[in-house]
Amino acid sequence: MSRKIDQPKIVILGMGNLLLQDEGVGIHLIQMLSKDALDYANLEIIDGGTSPENLLTIEGVDKLIIIDAVKGGKEPGTIYRLGIDDIILDSSLRLSLHQMSMIDSLRILNLIDKQPKNIVIIGIEPKNIDFGLGLSPEVRERLVELKGLVIKEVKSEVLIYAST
């Protein structure tokens, strides 16, 4: 499908490592999503894997929805909805680009004036991030709810745009 100029471009980016149990929740979730089911032409669903520097290639995005495991200190399975300003940038020294975090990449996009207009991070508190392929029951039980929140974010952007 070609992008329609009069519609906002939305990117859903799933982050994580499928080999580290709950750390792979972002990838598990984007595998559940179907672009056709979301019925929106200017939508891109991306498997970001473990490479947050891939964010630097995203341009012209109106809304970026990132799905990832988030350690917020609450009970496993707790769902978070965060904006870029809700995240405190880790102040530890980075020695190479391979040590960049997702937030570092977003901050760089901001510095070069290519940051998406609207960024939402939907995360879930992991229980296990040890070697293993499956999600913990606490995280797996929340996947349908997590998927619903992502769909709601896409639809809200479309509604906001349509009302302007």
Side-chain angles (χ1 to χ4, degrees):
M1 286 180 248
S2 62
R3 178 177 179 193
K4 293 184 180 181
I5 295 174
D6 61 339
Q7 292 182 332
K9 181 176 180 182
I10 302 171
V11 171
I12 300 172
L13 178 67
M15 299 296 298
N17 186 337
L18 290 174
L19 301 175
L20 295 176
Q21 294 181 11
D22 293 342
E23 171 61 26
V25 70
I27 307 304
H28 284 284
L29 187 69
I30 64 162
Q31 290 173 350
M32 293 173 61
L33 292 171
S34 163
K35 186 175 178 177
D36 293 334
L38 289 167
D39 194 31
Y40 187 69
N42 288 337
L43 175 68
E44 191 172 352
I45 300 172
I46 300 174
D47 178 339
T50 60
S51 302
E53 64 270 14
N54 288 339
L55 276 173
L56 300 178
T57 63
I58 295 176
E59 289 190 40
V61 175
D62 296 293
K63 184 168 192 169
L64 174 62
I65 304 166
I66 300 170
I67 303 116
D68 202 358
V70 173
K71 286 189 170 185
K74 295 188 179 181
E75 292 294 316
T78 299
I79 295 175
Y80 303 96
R81 183 193 182 280
L82 308 165
I84 187 70
D85 295 331
D86 296 322
I87 305 290
I88 299 172
L89 181 62
D90 179 11
S91 63
S92 63
L93 179 64
R94 302 287 190 253
L95 301 176
S96 77
L97 286 178
H98 297 287
Q99 293 177 321
M100 287 177 54
S101 72
M102 177 180 51
I103 302 303
D104 294 331
S105 295
L106 291 171
R107 300 269 188 220
I108 289 171
L109 286 174
N110 187 45
L111 288 173
I112 60 175
D113 202 29
K114 292 189 178 188
Q115 186 172 357
K117 296 172 186 161
N118 187 359
I119 299 171
V120 174
I121 301 166
I122 298 178
I124 190 163
E125 185 79 37
K127 179 177 183 182
N128 299 318
I129 53 171
D130 296 323
F131 287 109
L133 296 177
L135 296 172
S136 67
E138 292 86 348
V139 171
R140 188 176 49 252
E141 289 170 1
R142 305 298 302 272
L143 278 181
V144 171
E145 183 179 351
L146 206 60
K147 179 181 175 184
L149 290 172
V150 171
I151 292 169
K152 183 178 176 183
E153 288 292 336
V154 170
K155 290 181 178 181
S156 71
E157 185 68 22
V158 173
L159 287 175
I160 289 169
Y161 184 79
S163 67
T164 59

